[in-house]
Amino acid sequence: MKKLIIINGPNLNLLGKRETNIYGNLTFTEFFEEVKGKYPNVTLEYYQSNIEGELITKLQDVGYSYDGIILNAAAYTHTSVGIGDAVKAIETSVVEVHISNTYGREEFRHHSYISANAKGVILGFGLQSYELALESFL
Ligand code: DQA
């Protein structure tokens, strides 16, 4: 059984009530339960933090034993050399995901410190981006 984890960065705990025109009405917990039900043969975990260092610690904790990491570092994508370095350091493949199409938004969202060391990047498909990333590990 594949062991995967979704790691979400800052403000993604507000899904369902944050800028719903961009991010939708579903809470992440609702979505996560739905996905878990759809993939009974995957051990799927979820971790969210608003704190950069906690995200780095989590990447280090899972990055040598899990089969895959689905990472939405949210705003830290565009600012964090530390998260980029962690993704580079660990052995487990990371798929970078974004709910919105960051290239259709403000210029500062066009650069990612993660992409260069990710296995791949999936963005712009709403919450389905996570599911497509999950599929890529199966
Ligand atoms: C996001 C895009 C980021 O630019 C933004 O800061 C987020 C969410 C997305 O999933 O579309 O918080 O990562």
Side-chain angles (χ1 to χ4, degrees):
M1 195 131 126
K2 288 248 161 110
K3 195 169 182 183
L4 307 178
I5 184 168
I6 295 173
I7 300 180
N8 269 347
N11 300 307
L12 292 172
N13 54 314
L14 296 179
L15 285 177
K17 57 182 172 189
R18 164 196 188 202
E19 299 175 274
T20 52
N21 57 320
I22 299 174
Y23 299 114
N25 293 304
L26 215 58
T27 68
F28 200 82
T29 316
E30 287 166 339
F31 170 73
F32 184 65
E33 287 309 314
E34 212 179 283
V35 174
K36 272 210 306 199
K38 249 176 146 168
Y39 296 90
N41 296 324
V42 176
T43 303
L44 188 61
E45 289 176 22
Y46 170 54
Y47 177 80
Q48 190 275 333
S49 176
N50 292 320
I51 300 168
E52 186 175 9
E54 286 185 354
L55 293 165
I56 293 171
T57 299
K58 193 67 184 179
L59 286 166
Q60 293 179 3
D61 284 349
V62 300
Y64 296 88
S65 54
Y66 283 47
D67 298 304
I69 299 169
I70 298 161
L71 174 65
N72 186 349
Y76 289 141
T77 305
H78 319 299
T79 62
S80 179
V81 173
I83 293 177
D85 280 354
V87 168
K88 192 171 186 182
I90 60 179
E91 282 169 6
T92 302
S93 294
V94 173
V95 171
E96 175 183 351
V97 306
H98 299 285
I99 299 165
S100 63
N101 177 356
T102 47
Y103 293 104
R105 301 179 65 192
E106 303 95 323
E107 190 91 31
F108 67 84
R109 296 185 204 276
H110 297 185
H111 178 260
S112 164
Y113 281 100
I114 292 157
S115 302
N117 296 300
K119 185 180 176 199
V121 184
I122 299 172
L123 56 88
F125 294 97
L127 288 172
Q128 211 199 334
S129 297
Y130 291 93
E131 225 175 302
L132 294 168
L134 187 152
E135 286 278 350
S136 78
F137 284 114
L138 303 182

